[in-house]
Amino acid sequence: MNTDKCKQYKIIEKILWGAIILSPIILLAIQSAVYGRNLFLGVPEWSDELDYWREMYSFSGSGFSFGGSMFFGYDAKVGPLGAHSFSPLFAWGPFFWLFRTSYSIYAIVWINLFYMTAAWVLFVALVKPNITKSVIAAVLAYSFPLTVLYLNTSMIEMVCMAGIIAYFSLMYKWDGSEKSNKWFILTLLVGIWCMLLRPTYVVILFPSIWMKNKFKINKYTIISMLAYVVAFGAFYKVYGLFCSDYPGWVTSRLAAQVGIRNKLSFLLANAKLNLRNFFSYNSADWCQVGLRYFYFVVTGYMLVRSFIGGKRINENADVNTDKNTNKSADNSITESQTNFSFKIDRLYLSLFIMMFGLWAMMIVLYDILEWRDFRTFAPIVFGAVLFTSIKENHKRYISILAAMYTLLVILFGLSGMNFIISRGYHVYQDLSPYFSMLETTDESGNARTLTTDFALNWCDISVVRSLPPKMGFQVYNGVVTEEEYQKAEYVFIPEYIEIESGEFMVNIPGYGNIYKMY
């Protein structure tokens, strides 16, 4: 390659790197132009978003002494945290503690953009993709359904995506480096952070632990895997202490079953229902169905590539030397110079086990329903495809991945865009004067709680933002009953409901009345 072409190549490469790094900002700017509104000012609307936002707002203003953020009225066993345990604290807590004086209703959207941009910076710095692989990464960055749909929300999925990108970027660097301890520790730390964000992501630690043991099956590997399982069990027990235990959850319903036989029967029935929903083409819109099929097919692809693998070349090393040929054999036992080998590529096998493990957990212990599985599966399959695409050196396999991904994007385009259009983007109203007369603490200094219900249409950032951060916010699913009124300190109910067991405090026009309970 002559000097001029080399310079042109480098310029194109740098432009693509910039496009990858700035993809979250550019994508949101494009969406803003298409939909004619500033999506950088995405207001929390969904119950999860409002719960995340309220918890962070309370934490930023009162530390851990706030009254709680409780959905459906169920308290965590320990502390004021609610539906999502301590995951929001590991996602956004440090930012809101540092910048609490300038807390904004758009803050989580902006922090998510920061996370995603930082993750892509790490990807480019560690991988240094060539033009072809930069194009692949850019296509994934700008078209992946989860990113397109959730980039302007206050959901935790974008933080999960950033963590997964960082994890697989480190895995790529580690796989091409002899300094395994350094990269193992970094990969492990990022993997643990991802698990703190979503406990089911414990599965991503499997490839790095097995890779640390050089993909061998010996006593050290067995001990490592046992420690891995035991440590997760202890972590999940602690996680549950800080999380509201809702009766509707599969794990809660499982715990309510008496006897091993009943528990197994319950799990079997739940797995059958989830399998039917997972594979049924009409169980949800095409966006969700497409992601389910894509995840399943990519999982199968990883299994097939484990046994039918072309020689996997390490781009960061001279593969012609005996030393590096032997090193490559640790990760991919493909010594043959032919295009195929019947020996197992254990790196691909570890990715298969990771993806299948998550799928099995979702089928048996969770719900394939209403975007829940979509939000869980999407970051993992994105990371697996990104990692495989940049490691893969056989055009035929890249073509297979490209074909599968193209089908996903087509199915997404058939229905997914309605997801963005349907969001209302409420205008914030400052209702804080109406709440100023409420006492945020009782005589002993403990935080008081305001109880409300869905009849009030609580999904409004105006209420969540205006209520003092010290005060707990307890939301019930449905109309609050008289018995629940008696447990509350303040009740915020629709205007058409009158109660005699409390003192009327204030009317908020368009929302309802607040009573102080005796």
Side-chain angles (χ1 to χ4, degrees):
M1 184 180 294
N2 60 41
T3 304
D4 290 339
K5 286 186 177 180
C6 185
K7 288 181 179 179
Q8 291 175 359
Y9 182 93
K10 290 296 182 183
I11 290 173
I12 294 172
E13 194 174 67
K14 295 297 190 297
I15 291 173
L16 286 170
W17 289 0
I20 293 170
I21 291 171
L22 296 176
S23 61
I25 298 171
I26 295 173
L27 179 58
L28 205 52
I30 293 172
Q31 288 181 295
S32 297
V34 170
Y35 293 108
R37 56 192 180 202
N38 188 353
L39 300 186
F40 290 90
L41 305 181
V43 176
E45 291 187 27
W46 304 323
S47 58
D48 279 348
E49 287 184 287
L50 290 162
D51 188 76
Y52 288 136
W53 197 95
R54 177 66 196 179
E55 185 175 312
M56 289 296 93
Y57 177 55
S58 298
F59 173 72
S60 69
S62 303
F64 290 104
S65 64
F66 63 94
S69 178
M70 295 158 283
F71 195 49
F72 295 157
Y74 295 101
D75 299 298
K77 295 180 181 67
V78 177
L81 308 180
H84 302 98
S85 189
F86 44 66
S87 292
L89 296 177
F90 283 96
W92 307 293
F95 292 91
F96 292 138
W97 186 251
L98 290 171
F99 305 107
R100 54 187 179 274
T101 56
S102 56
Y103 199 97
S104 165
I105 58 176
Y106 319 114
I108 291 180
V109 173
W110 298 339
I111 295 173
N112 286 351
L113 288 172
F114 170 80
Y115 271 125
M116 287 292 290
T117 304
W120 284 121
V121 168
L122 184 66
F123 170 82
V124 169
L126 294 180
V127 175
K128 294 181 174 60
N130 58 27
I131 289 181
T132 300
K133 294 181 179 180
S134 293
V135 170
I136 292 173
V139 169
L140 290 172
Y142 282 92
S143 63
F144 191 66
L146 182 73
T147 308
V148 175
L149 296 178
Y150 282 78
L151 197 56
N152 76 316
T153 70
S154 297
M155 298 289 281
I156 205 169
E157 278 66 35
M158 286 298 98
V159 188
C160 294
M161 280 284 287
I164 296 297
I165 292 169
Y167 176 85
F168 281 107
S169 299
L170 289 164
M171 279 284 287
Y172 176 91
K173 186 67 175 181
W174 178 21
D175 189 43
S177 172
E178 295 181 6
K179 300 177 181 178
S180 60
N181 286 335
K182 170 186 174 181
W183 298 112
F184 168 68
I185 292 171
L186 290 174
T187 304
L188 190 67
L189 289 174
V190 173
I192 290 172
W193 183 58
C194 291
M195 183 182 69
L196 291 169
L197 299 175
R198 193 184 293 276
T200 49
Y201 287 172
V202 63
V203 296
I204 70 170
L205 296 175
F206 178 83
S208 56
I209 293 173
W210 200 15
M211 189 169 171
K212 174 60 179 172
N213 288 284
K214 302 184 185 301
F215 294 109
K216 296 177 180 178
I217 301 177
N218 52 32
K219 66 177 182 179
Y220 299 107
T221 302
I222 294 172
I223 292 172
S224 298
M225 292 302 172
L226 287 175
Y228 169 47
V229 172
V230 171
F232 176 69
F235 160 77
Y236 192 74
K237 187 69 174 179
V238 173
Y239 184 90
L241 295 176
F242 294 90
C243 186
S244 303
D245 190 16
Y246 300 134
W249 283 351
V250 173
T251 50
S252 299
R253 287 183 286 151
L254 175 64
Q257 304 297 314
V258 179
I260 298 296
R261 186 172 183 176
N262 288 334
K263 290 181 184 295
L264 292 176
S265 178
F266 170 81
L267 288 177
L268 180 60
N270 188 66
K272 287 181 177 179
L273 176 62
N274 282 335
L275 282 170
R276 184 165 62 248
N277 288 338
F278 187 93
F279 290 107
S280 174
Y281 68 88
N282 62 358
S283 61
D285 61 38
W286 281 112
C287 182
Q288 297 177 70
V289 171
L291 195 282
R292 291 168 187 169
Y293 290 170
F294 183 66
Y295 187 93
F296 189 76
V297 172
V298 171
T299 303
Y301 171 88
M302 296 300 177
L303 179 61
V304 172
R305 282 293 279 116
S306 301
F307 293 93
I308 305 176
K311 185 175 177 61
R312 193 165 56 82
I313 300 172
N314 185 341
E315 293 180 336
N316 294 332
D318 181 3
V319 297
N320 293 320
T321 64
D322 293 337
K323 176 181 178 180
N324 284 284
T325 300
N326 292 333
K327 174 181 176 296
S328 179
D330 287 338
N331 293 345
S332 178
I333 313 173
T334 54
E335 296 291 327
S336 173
Q337 295 300 312
T338 63
N339 287 333
F340 293 95
S341 170
F342 292 102
K343 295 181 180 180
I344 299 174
D345 186 322
R346 292 179 178 174
L347 177 59
Y348 277 104
L349 183 61
S350 71
L351 295 177
F352 163 75
I353 294 172
M354 174 195 74
M355 296 186 69
F356 182 81
L358 178 62
W359 181 82
M361 279 195 290
M362 293 293 291
I363 293 295
V364 177
L365 294 172
Y366 201 52
D367 298 308
I368 305 299
L369 182 70
E370 295 178 349
W371 299 97
R372 297 176 187 178
D373 56 293
F374 178 91
R375 296 195 302 262
T376 304
F377 286 138
I380 293 294
V381 73
F382 179 88
V385 170
L386 177 66
F387 179 76
T388 304
S389 298
I390 59 178
K391 291 297 295 184
E392 189 60 78
N393 288 282
H394 291 276
K395 293 182 179 179
R396 71 188 67 174
Y397 296 129
I398 293 178
S399 298
I400 292 171
L401 286 171
M404 292 190 297
Y405 186 73
T406 300
L407 180 59
L408 170 67
V409 172
I410 291 172
L411 293 175
F412 166 54
L414 293 176
S415 65
M417 295 306 174
N418 294 329
F419 196 92
I420 301 173
I421 299 171
S422 64
R423 287 176 61 87
Y425 298 91
H426 299 301
V427 176
Y428 168 66
Q429 301 178 62
D430 184 9
L431 304 178
S432 55
Y434 295 103
F435 295 109
S436 61
M437 63 184 68
L438 306 186
E439 298 174 0
T440 57
T441 58
D442 59 21
E443 294 78 7
S444 60
N446 296 321
R448 293 185 183 274
T449 298
L450 179 76
T451 297
T452 185
D453 59 47
F454 264 78
L456 183 66
N457 187 23
W458 81 283
C459 289
D460 192 320
I461 188 63
S462 299
V463 175
V464 178
R465 171 65 177 83
S466 300
L467 191 70
K470 181 75 173 180
M471 182 166 283
F473 194 28
Q474 188 174 53
V475 182
Y476 283 90
N477 185 21
V479 178
V480 182
T481 65
E482 187 67 28
E483 180 182 355
E484 288 157 348
Y485 291 158
Q486 302 303 323
K487 300 176 185 177
E489 295 165 298
Y490 291 100
V491 175
F492 189 17
I493 58 177
E495 296 172 335
Y496 58 82
I497 298 178
E498 296 183 5
I499 60 175
E500 298 179 355
S501 55
E503 174 189 353
F504 173 80
M505 298 292 293
V506 65
N507 168 259
I508 302 181
Y511 287 90
N513 298 325
I514 300 179
Y515 289 83
K516 181 178 181 180
M517 305 309 295
Y518 297 126

